[in-house]
Amino acid sequence: MEKTIHGRPYIETKKGPVLTPCAPNSVLARLGDKWTILVMSILALEPARALRFSEIKNGIPDISQRMLTLTLRNLERDGLVIRHYFAEIPPRVEYELTPMGNTMLPALEGFTGWIRDNWRAIEQARQRYDAARSD
């Protein structure tokens, strides 16, 4: 019989609980990626306005042009971001969240809020762990 824990399906077997696939690992990896979270967050700041590539890059410290390009391309492929190309001189490209991308924002807010509330405790736990292992 299939059950769920925090929305994640699993089955009880004789050897114990076994998680069952609820989404391809590639989707989970993409949505949990730090650059994905930052790109979606910057696009969510002004949902009524598409942002140019340079605006997104300027709003995310330390992201390389290549990583931003890959992240935007993957988000577009996944249907979370739409790319608008304007055949002008010079060409102009703008990005915005799709309706499906917008539906991810509440989950993203919950996840980033949890990180914000707990990152100091995580850092302290890491320091304690590392100190105990270095003896």
Side-chain angles (χ1 to χ4, degrees):
M1 178 174 162
E2 190 173 275
K3 301 176 181 180
T4 62
I5 177 90
H6 304 294
R8 176 88 186 177
Y10 72 97
I11 55 172
E12 290 286 348
T13 70
K14 290 179 182 179
K15 293 183 179 182
V18 176
L19 295 175
T20 58
C22 65
N25 286 339
S26 63
V27 173
L28 295 172
R30 168 110 57 258
L31 300 182
D33 174 76
K34 83 173 184 177
W35 299 123
T36 293
I37 291 170
L38 293 173
V39 168
M40 296 207 47
S41 295
I42 197 95
L43 290 172
L45 289 174
E46 294 189 58
R49 183 172 83 83
L51 296 179
R52 295 182 77 157
F53 183 92
S54 60
E55 292 176 294
I56 300 168
K57 184 164 182 343
N58 291 338
I60 303 174
D62 301 327
I63 193 167
S64 68
Q65 183 165 333
R66 180 180 183 281
M67 187 51 65
L68 179 55
T69 298
L70 288 173
T71 302
L72 286 165
R73 187 175 296 143
N74 287 328
L75 289 171
E76 182 182 9
R77 181 174 180 243
D78 290 343
L80 301 173
V81 167
I82 189 163
R83 178 182 185 263
H84 301 284
Y85 176 80
F86 301 91
E88 302 171 345
I89 299 178
R92 180 170 48 111
V93 180
E94 296 178 346
Y95 299 88
E96 65 180 318
L97 294 175
T98 63
M100 183 171 59
N102 278 304
T103 65
M104 188 180 144
L105 296 177
L108 184 61
E109 183 177 344
F111 183 62
T112 56
W114 182 89
I115 292 169
R116 183 184 55 249
D117 292 345
N118 291 284
W119 73 269
R120 286 185 181 94
I122 292 168
E123 287 298 320
Q124 291 169 355
R126 288 176 177 175
Q127 290 171 2
R128 285 191 304 273
Y129 181 91
D130 293 345
R133 300 299 177 272
S134 65
D135 295 339

